[in-house]
């Protein structure tokens, strides 16, 4: 475990004028405070000796950012930024990156992130692929009639064909979802899917006043995809995918 006693943990950067720190506990249940006024401010808390890799520390990091984003525009900092003092936060984070951070804050002012994820009904999708793809249907039927040893290469080929069909459907479904929702957003990011049955993982940058219309459009998309794709709708949240400051070079120690 790295000894972090006496150091300062950084959560994110805000346009500090008129803002106050959120009333929420940070990592190690420490109070969160705002340093570096008036142009830019950083949300920080003091650290003891806990390892930052602990899941509870990650949850605390997200909790602070989500609470702060309710009333302010915030540029999240990647989990794990630790600096030796408040002075270092001001000099090496805020002042050294003032132009970049100010531009990011300007770009996301008054906006939130809304995330739409789609997950296929795997059994249904496989049945549809077999029914609609003659080459897959033929190989699938052949595998019913030959031994495991004789079907070795056919099984490999079948897996390749099915994977290609899944990719084709994933691309088409992603294009359809983006076409439906992008007109209501300021920007969209297609994020890497991490599960075999994932259809898409899309992050949208949306103005606060457009959240209701965007939510309605997600409901319409959900009705359109029916039982074929299960949608998850997440947000409003801090703009992680659009303005997360990757400024870890200034951090002297983290677990």
């Amino acid at each position: 475990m790295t000894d972090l006693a006496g150091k300062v943990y950084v959560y994110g950067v805000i346009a500090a004028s008129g803002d106050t720190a959120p009333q929420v506990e940070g990592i190690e249940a420490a109070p969160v405070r705002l340093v570096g006024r008036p142009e830019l401010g950083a949300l920080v808390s003091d650290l003891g000796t806990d390892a930052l890799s602990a899941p509870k520390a990650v949850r605390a990091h997200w909790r602070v950012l989500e609470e702060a984003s309710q009333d302010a525009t915030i540029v999240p900092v990647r989990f794990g930024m630790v600096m030796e003092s408040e002075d270092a936060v001001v000099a090496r984070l805020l002042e050294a990156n003032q132009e970049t951070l100010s531009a990011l804050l300007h770009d996301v002012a008054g906006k939130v992130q809304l995330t739409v994820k789609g997950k296929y009904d795997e059994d249904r999708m496989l049945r549809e692929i077999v029914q609609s793809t003659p080459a897959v249907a033929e190989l699938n039927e052949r595998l019913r009639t030959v031994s495991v040893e004789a079907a070795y290469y056919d099984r490999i080929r079948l897996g390749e064909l099915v994977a290609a069909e899944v990719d084709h459907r994933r691309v088409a479904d992603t294009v359809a979802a983006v076409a439906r929702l992008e007109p209501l957003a300021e920007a969209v990011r297609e994020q890497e899917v991490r599960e075999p049955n994932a259809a898409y993982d899309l992050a949208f940058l949306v103005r606060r006043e457009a959240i209701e219309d965007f939510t309605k459009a997600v409901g319409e998309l959900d009705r359109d995809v029916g039982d074929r794709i299960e949608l998850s709708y997440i947000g409003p949240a801090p703009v992680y995918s659009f303005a997360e400051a990757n400024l870890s070079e200034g951090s002297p120690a983290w677990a």
Side-chain angles (χ1 to χ4, degrees), residues 24 28 34 98 192 217 231:
V24 61
E28 300 175 351
L34 180 62
Q98 181 171 349
E192 181 183 359
L231 293 189

Side-chain angles (χ1 to χ4, degrees), residues 36-83:
R37 293 186 179 192
E39 295 84 5
L40 290 174
L43 295 174
V44 305
S45 65
D46 293 326
L47 284 175
T49 57
D50 277 2
L52 292 182
S53 58
K56 66 179 180 180
V58 176
R59 289 195 296 270
H61 178 91
W62 289 344
R63 185 170 60 245
V64 170
L65 291 173
E66 297 207 2
E67 184 67 26
S69 70
Q70 298 301 310
D71 301 308
T73 299
I74 185 165
V75 172
V77 171
R78 292 189 185 277
F79 174 77
M81 177 174 280
V82 180
M83 304 189 79

